[in-house]
Amino acid sequence: MMSRSGQRAGAPVWEPVPWTPDGSLLVESFAMPSRWRFGTHVHPWHQLAWAAEGVLTVETGEGLWVLPPVRALWIPAGVPHATAAHRASVMRSPYLRPDACPVRWSAPTVVSVPPLLRELIVHLAGPGPTGDARGRAEAVLCDLVEPVDAGPLLLPLPSDGRARGVAEALLDDPSDGRTLDAWGRVAGASGRTLARLFLAETGMSFGRWRTQARLRAALRLLAEGLPVATVAGRVGYETPSAFVAVFRRAFGVSPARYFTPTR
């Protein structure tokens, strides 16, 4: 269906090849080394991006999603997206023909991956079933795809070199708690100028942008199994309770619930 080539930078890598499955669904598996990236691409099939192992990040024009194995992202046909692995991961993705798919979502949508859906994806990735049995299994998979309330993280980078330098430093170390005035002495701009640049070029205040950067880092660390208290400190929160409160405001659930299938 597509090439398995990958890269560590962002050029397109997908090359469509003929659709060959017996039914309306094909499961492809991709071993992705640490920091591997499939650059921005578009394909004419719906995709359910799922990490059978490790953690995936998927980025579209709407933002970025961090996906542990209990969550997947439904990517409608025609939506440009890039997929990356923060650490060594296995992406096992069903691809579905739009003309034969009952799911009609027009925007990227997060779904929960409970044990039954996980095992069904693995089952369909193998040599069987075929014929009517495969059709029934594909129908069950579509029935199990249900959305959860989890929007993307929005983290656009400012274009101005001074503000961008601050942003990139915070991506490298989200625990850095310096004020804008302190950053200004490093960046060569006043704190007021940096505040104006962040708002004008990212659509967010500096404080909100830094919170988004911390949450993105936290999701990756939590997906690797680190305790909440450890993650809180690594991304700049003085107490676990403060971190959990920010996480709950952003995602509607606690970190523990975020990494638990809904059923």
Side-chain angles (χ1 to χ4, degrees):
M1 188 179 71
M2 57 185 63
S3 71
R4 288 177 175 78
S5 59
Q7 58 184 22
R8 300 182 188 276
V13 298
W14 297 106
E15 297 177 4
V17 300
W19 181 271
T20 58
D22 293 335
S24 60
L25 182 154
L26 176 67
V27 179
E28 288 272 28
S29 296
F30 304 88
M32 301 174 67
S34 178
R35 302 193 181 279
W36 193 255
R37 175 181 171 85
F38 289 112
T40 301
H41 60 282
V42 178
H43 43 67
W45 314 285
H46 301 319
Q47 178 186 1
L48 187 64
W50 175 56
E53 301 173 22
V55 183
L56 297 180
T57 60
V58 178
E59 188 170 5
T60 74
E62 297 186 23
L64 180 143
W65 287 264
V66 179
L67 304 168
V70 297
R71 295 191 177 223
L73 185 69
W74 180 271
I75 307 170
V79 173
H81 59 282
T83 306
H86 181 62
R87 60 184 175 90
S89 303
V90 175
M91 179 171 67
R92 186 163 288 135
S93 283
Y95 294 84
L96 303 94
R97 284 186 9 226
D99 63 331
C101 179
V103 181
R104 302 297 183 187
W105 301 329
S106 60
T109 303
V110 176
V111 303
S112 180
V113 183
L116 180 57
L117 179 56
R118 180 187 67 226
E119 295 304 320
L120 189 54
I121 293 172
V122 173
H123 180 55
L124 287 167
T130 59
D132 291 343
R134 183 176 184 87
R136 290 191 295 270
E138 291 177 358
V140 173
L141 183 145
C142 291
D143 286 342
L144 292 173
V145 173
E146 295 185 355
V148 296
D149 186 14
L153 284 168
L154 302 174
L155 205 62
L157 288 171
S159 57
D160 181 276
R162 296 164 295 180
R164 191 180 185 93
V166 174
E168 290 175 345
L170 286 170
L171 291 176
D172 288 339
D173 181 11
S175 67
D176 195 316
R178 278 180 281 185
T179 66
L180 269 181
D181 287 335
W183 278 115
R185 289 190 285 274
V186 175
S190 68
R192 179 175 297 181
T193 296
L194 289 176
R196 176 179 55 79
L197 289 170
F198 266 90
L199 187 59
E201 297 185 358
T202 71
M204 288 181 270
S205 69
F206 170 75
R208 176 164 173 73
W209 192 95
R210 179 162 59 185
T211 295
Q212 294 287 91
R214 288 176 169 179
L215 287 170
R216 185 174 79 167
L219 283 171
R220 289 170 172 167
L221 294 171
L222 290 166
E224 293 174 6
L226 272 66
V228 169
T230 300
V231 173
R234 287 197 183 182
V235 300
Y237 291 94
E238 293 184 359
T239 65
S241 60
F243 166 67
V244 170
V246 171
F247 191 99
R248 190 184 294 274
R249 283 197 298 271
F251 299 109
V253 295
S254 68
R257 286 289 303 278
Y258 187 92
F259 288 93
T260 302
T262 57
R263 60 188 172 92

